[in-house]
Amino acid sequence: MNTALQPSTSMPWFDVNKGILDRRIFADPAIYKLELERIFARGWNFVAHESQIPATGDFFMSFIGEDQVIVVRDRKGDVQVLINSCPHRGNTVCRAEQGHTNSFFCSYHGWNFDLDGRLVGMPGEEAFYRKDIDKAAWGLTRAAQVTSYRGFVFATLDAAAPPLEEYLGWVGRLGLDMMASKGELEVVDGVVKNRLKCNWKLAVDNLYDWYHVGVSHGSAMRLGLLTTEGNAPDSQMVILGEYGHGIGGPGISEAQFADMESRLVHGKAGEPQWYDRTGINRLSAEVRAELGPVGYRSLGHPSIFPNLWIALTNQICLRIPRGPFETELWWFTMVPKSLTAEQRREAVFVATHYFGPAGLLEQDDGENWSHSTRGAQGSVSQRRPVNYAMGIGQDRVYEDSSGQSAIETVVNEHGQRWTYQAWQEWMLAEDWDALKKNHSQPPRGSV
Ligand code: FES
Ligand SMILES: [Fe+2]
């Protein structure tokens, strides 16, 4: 490893016990390159939702780190994830962001690939190659493993990765279940994509950040888009899982459930509160059982490490790295198929007004992340580590007899610390064997 990448033994990139982080991790190109290899090329990455590719030949273009991948339904009905780079000279074999095709035809010299990535033909196979080419060896590169969980398609480029369900663990699965339990979902056509001048990790760690809401989004509060009570509650539930997954944010109390039920189920008049829109499915006994005694009370933001945020406002967001100083955000609006046209319109309206380039909240957040990234670039400013110490050593993990656990406390930075602890472990592990052996188990007892 490049010595510049070696954290010193006295002060690793992230000092887990003190919550102090070396901010060069937001700026160093060598660290960024290592992230692409050790995090993105190694982990399971969300690449598409099955509703986007229902029929044979349907495809959606996605990314695993900086590797562009075509997610396509093949002739057997299986989902293939193919690296969009022709083995002949490296050209892309597909330029569209999504669509339907019979094959992938390279625009440079015309090599043609079937939906499962096999090279099926090329101009001049007889006349120029004189039949001396092993087509079976020159197909598109396939992801090492592709698996779908409740309609969410994930792929890994590393054959040694554990199976998806094991990788997700109960917390990653719970995060996806929280969205999937709303009903049979479909992605609204038109994934909203925009770029921010920020390091991808700052966008990721913000999803646990309920400290900034009252300040960063103060203008949204003044406009009435958010309420202090509803959107910036002091009480928080943090659920930590293996490999860096987690869920952080408010919990629903039994009193709030009772209130929700009386107003929504029994038709009592009253303006719906914040939790009505995102937590109404929790009134169902089946959903409660499915999410478990701890999980059903969480309205936090699930994070699937490394870069998928499940925003329970009917959206999920990928934070795709574009160099150390830039991130592409892809917002998928996801709604139950059972919604009426009116409800669907409202869901899309809410989604686009909160997040994405037109979203009021993301404009606030994006400015802050960009300036934090800039602050990591100055040769002097970057010498000063940054502070993720809120709540350290102050809380306990509650363990339910069901096996689920959570930290129930006030606004805190447990989720952010867990993210950087996991990030550091991923970055220091040589391979999956080392990561499986050495990664931290979610904390128990005092945190
Ligand atoms: S680069 Fe694709 S056919 Fe030559
Ligand atoms: Fe925010």
Side-chain angles (χ1 to χ4, degrees), residues 206 209 212-213 216-217 355 361 365 369:
N206 174 267
D209 191 321
H212 78 291
V213 182
S216 292
H217 304 305
F355 298 115
L361 303 188
D365 292 326
W369 306 337

Side-chain angles (χ1 to χ4, degrees), residues 61-63 67-71 81-87 90-96 104 140-141:
M61 194 68 77
S62 198
F63 276 94
D67 284 302
Q68 192 175 45
V69 293
I70 310 167
V71 187
V81 176
L82 310 170
I83 293 192
N84 186 18
S85 179
C86 178
N91 184 30
T92 50
V93 298
C94 181
R95 305 275 170 92
F104 297 104
L140 296 173
T141 304

Side-chain angles (χ1 to χ4, degrees), residues 122-138:
M122 72 264 286
E125 187 179 349
E126 280 192 42
F128 307 147
Y129 283 102
R130 285 156 274 188
K131 289 203 166 172
D132 188 21
I133 180 155
D134 178 7
K135 291 210 292 286
W138 290 100

Side-chain angles (χ1 to χ4, degrees), residues 107-353:
S107 61
Y108 199 170
H109 310 91
W111 283 22
N112 196 25
F113 303 88
D114 203 356
L115 300 176
D116 58 5
R118 277 178 309 117
L119 175 62
V120 287
M122 72 264 286
E125 187 179 349
E126 280 192 42
F128 307 147
Y129 283 102
R130 285 156 274 188
K131 289 203 166 172
D132 188 21
I133 180 155
D134 178 7
K135 291 210 292 286
W138 290 100
L140 296 173
T141 304
R142 292 194 184 102
Q145 303 180 61
V146 179
T147 308
S148 178
Y149 179 81
R150 301 199 69 174
F152 294 80
V153 182
F154 287 79
T156 174
L157 303 178
D158 194 329
L164 176 65
E165 290 213 13
E166 184 185 325
Y167 173 79
L168 292 170
W170 76 271
V171 176
R173 293 196 301 272
L174 172 63
L176 294 165
D177 290 342
M178 283 161 73
M179 185 61 105
S181 64
K182 293 181 173 200
E184 192 187 347
L185 297 173
E186 65 179 339
V187 171
V188 175
D189 200 17
V191 175
V192 178
K193 302 172 180 177
N194 63 305
R195 286 191 180 197
L196 291 174
K197 294 269 180 207
C198 72
N199 183 277
W200 67 277
K201 295 185 292 299
L202 284 161
V204 170
D205 92 39
N206 174 267
L207 69 89
Y208 291 107
D209 191 321
W210 293 78
Y211 184 36
H212 78 291
V213 182
V215 178
S216 292
H217 304 305
S219 54
M221 300 237 173
R222 262 172 252 139
L223 285 173
L225 188 69
L226 299 180
T227 64
T228 314
E229 181 203 347
N231 302 97
D234 288 345
S235 74
Q236 298 278 302
M237 279 179 84
V238 183
I239 302 174
L240 303 177
E242 277 185 84
Y243 296 120
H245 312 308
I247 303 171
I252 316 178
S253 67
E254 290 303 335
Q256 285 170 317
F257 271 125
D259 180 45
M260 189 193 302
E261 186 154 26
S262 71
R263 283 184 299 102
L264 293 178
V265 178
H266 303 300
K268 199 171 136 191
E271 185 64 24
Q273 295 295 312
W274 60 283
Y275 49 79
D276 294 344
R277 279 178 256 150
T278 51
I280 188 166
N281 60 331
R282 313 291 173 84
L283 294 176
S284 135
E286 293 78 47
V287 171
R288 286 188 181 208
E290 183 188 332
L291 301 183
V294 174
Y296 91 91
R297 292 194 294 109
S298 167
L299 275 189
H301 292 161
S303 170
I304 309 294
F305 192 88
N307 66 338
L308 178 67
W309 173 20
I310 300 160
L312 296 178
T313 47
N314 294 314
Q315 287 165 290
I316 61 171
C317 184
L318 270 179
R319 279 81 201 283
I320 302 172
R322 286 286 174 271
F325 312 127
E326 194 160 29
T327 303
E328 200 161 296
L329 277 72
W330 285 17
W331 284 101
F332 300 68
T333 299
M334 234 171 213
V335 294
K337 285 184 177 167
S338 59
L339 290 192
T340 63
E342 174 78 34
Q343 288 168 329
R344 188 182 167 103
R345 249 195 316 278
E346 193 196 329
V348 174
F349 180 90
V350 169
T352 49
H353 281 71

